[in-house]
Amino acid sequence: QVQLVESGGGLVQAGGSLTLSCAASGSIFSINAMGWYRQAPEKQRELVAVAASGGSTNYADSVKGRFTISRDNAKNMVYLQLNSLKPEDTAVYYCNARVQWRPASALYNYWGQGTQVTVSS
């Protein structure tokens, strides 16, 4: 089994910054991709940013230039630096990882419990 634990959410004023962290632990041989999604009230969960094991990254258009995703593969961690925050960034942010338990095994999708980010105007 694999566990993802997020930290770093909170309340911040518009224009401020936060750093989210996510640590993966458990039966992990390798992690293909790690990323962040968010879900605002009454909205569907959406991709924020994802980082592949090889280093490539992808961002939602709404956060490009403001958010930065990074990974520490040795520690099985992923980070999200949120800058120039806007009230519309308010959501629960979820960590996601696609994990391989052992060599040649399938990839399994895991989610963290979520961390609240609230941006006041």
Side-chain angles (χ1 to χ4, degrees), residues 45-110:
R45 191 173 296 189
E46 63 176 1
L47 172 70
V48 177
V50 62
S53 57
S56 62
T57 58
N58 191 37
Y59 295 90
D61 287 342
S62 59
V63 307
K64 283 180 181 177
R66 300 188 298 121
F67 293 5
T68 303
I69 189 169
S70 60
R71 283 179 63 169
D72 184 333
N73 292 331
K75 296 182 178 179
N76 290 332
M77 294 195 68
V78 64
Y79 307 93
L80 187 67
Q81 178 66 39
L82 298 77
N83 297 328
S84 303
L85 281 160
K86 305 175 180 179
E88 51 263 43
D89 294 319
T90 296
V92 178
Y93 284 70
Y94 295 91
C95 177
N96 173 266
R98 298 186 69 201
V99 177
Q100 196 175 27
W101 291 353
R102 54 185 178 275
S105 73
L107 289 169
Y108 294 88
N109 207 33
Y110 292 94

Side-chain angles (χ1 to χ4, degrees), residues 3-34:
Q3 297 81 39
L4 301 180
V5 178
E6 301 112 331
S7 60
L11 173 64
V12 64
Q13 289 189 332
S17 297
L18 284 174
T19 301
L20 306 184
S21 301
C22 173
S25 63
S27 301
I28 299 172
F29 170 71
S30 68
I31 302 179
N32 176 273
M34 295 189 81

